[in-house]
Amino acid sequence: VCVYVCVGWRRTAWPIVIGMYVGHGLAIVSLIILIAVHLSSKVFRANEKSHVRCILAINFLLATAVFVGGVERREIMWVCQALAVLHHYFVLCLFGWLVVEGYVVYRHVCLSWEAHTVSFKSSLRVLGAAAQG
C-alpha cells in the first residue's frame, strides 16, 4: 500500500484519485452486502462452498479497507509500513483461500460426475499442479 507511496509517489491527477475511491467504495459496499446475505441466510450457512466464499469476501474486504484507509497515510514511516504489511498479508490470505475454493470446486465437479473413486492423493496432485500454474 504505502510502500509505493512512501518511496516517492507524487500526487496524481484528481480523476484517478476519485476513480480509485469510487471503485473501492463500490467494492466495499458490495462485499458488505454479500457478507450480510451469506450470514443471514440459513441456506448459505449450511453450505461448505458458501463458507469459503464468505471468507474470501471478508479477506477481500479487509484488503480493500486497509488499502483505502492507508493510501494517504505516509507521514509516519512505520505506520505506512505496517499498513503495507497488513495489506499484503490480506492479499496473500486471499490467494490461499482461492486455492481452497479451487479445491472445493474441483471436489464438487468430481462428485457431480460421480467420480468418487478418485483418491485424496490424486486430487491433491491436481490441486498442486493447478497451484504451480
Side-chain angles (χ1 to χ4, degrees), residues 10-41:
R10 302 288 182 247
R11 290 250 183 227
T12 57
W14 62 269
I16 295 172
V17 174
I18 290 174
M20 182 202 65
Y21 280 117
V22 168
H24 282 90
L26 289 173
I28 288 172
V29 169
S30 300
L31 288 167
I32 289 172
I33 292 170
L34 176 77
I35 292 167
V37 167
H38 275 277
L39 294 178
S40 65
S41 174

Side-chain angles (χ1 to χ4, degrees), residues 1 12 22 29-30 34-35 43 54-55 70 72 75 89 116 121 129-130:
V1 177
T12 57
V22 168
V29 169
S30 300
L34 176 77
I35 292 167
V43 174
C54 189
I55 292 171
E72 295 291 330
E75 295 84 22
Y89 172 75
H116 47 352
K121 286 184 181 179

Side-chain angles (χ1 to χ4, degrees), residues 48-127:
E48 177 189 53
K49 292 180 286 189
S50 293
H51 288 292
V52 175
R53 289 186 189 126
C54 189
I55 292 171
L56 273 169
I58 290 170
N59 276 312
F60 189 54
L61 176 68
L62 291 172
T64 304
V66 168
F67 178 78
V68 169
V71 76
E72 295 291 330
R73 309 286 185 265
R74 54 184 184 270
E75 295 84 22
I76 305 170
M77 184 61 98
W78 69 270
V79 172
C80 190
Q81 291 171 345
L83 289 171
V85 167
L86 271 176
H87 179 259
H88 287 97
Y89 172 75
F90 289 130
V91 169
L92 285 174
C93 288
L94 187 64
F95 287 131
W97 281 104
L98 282 172
V99 171
V100 174
E101 172 72 15
Y103 179 72
V104 169
V105 169
Y106 168 76
R107 294 296 296 168
H108 181 70
V109 168
C110 283
L111 291 177
S112 68
W113 285 87
E114 296 179 347
H116 47 352
T117 58
V118 176
S119 70
F120 184 71
K121 286 184 181 179
S122 64
S123 63
L124 282 181
R125 283 189 205 120
V126 172
L127 180 62

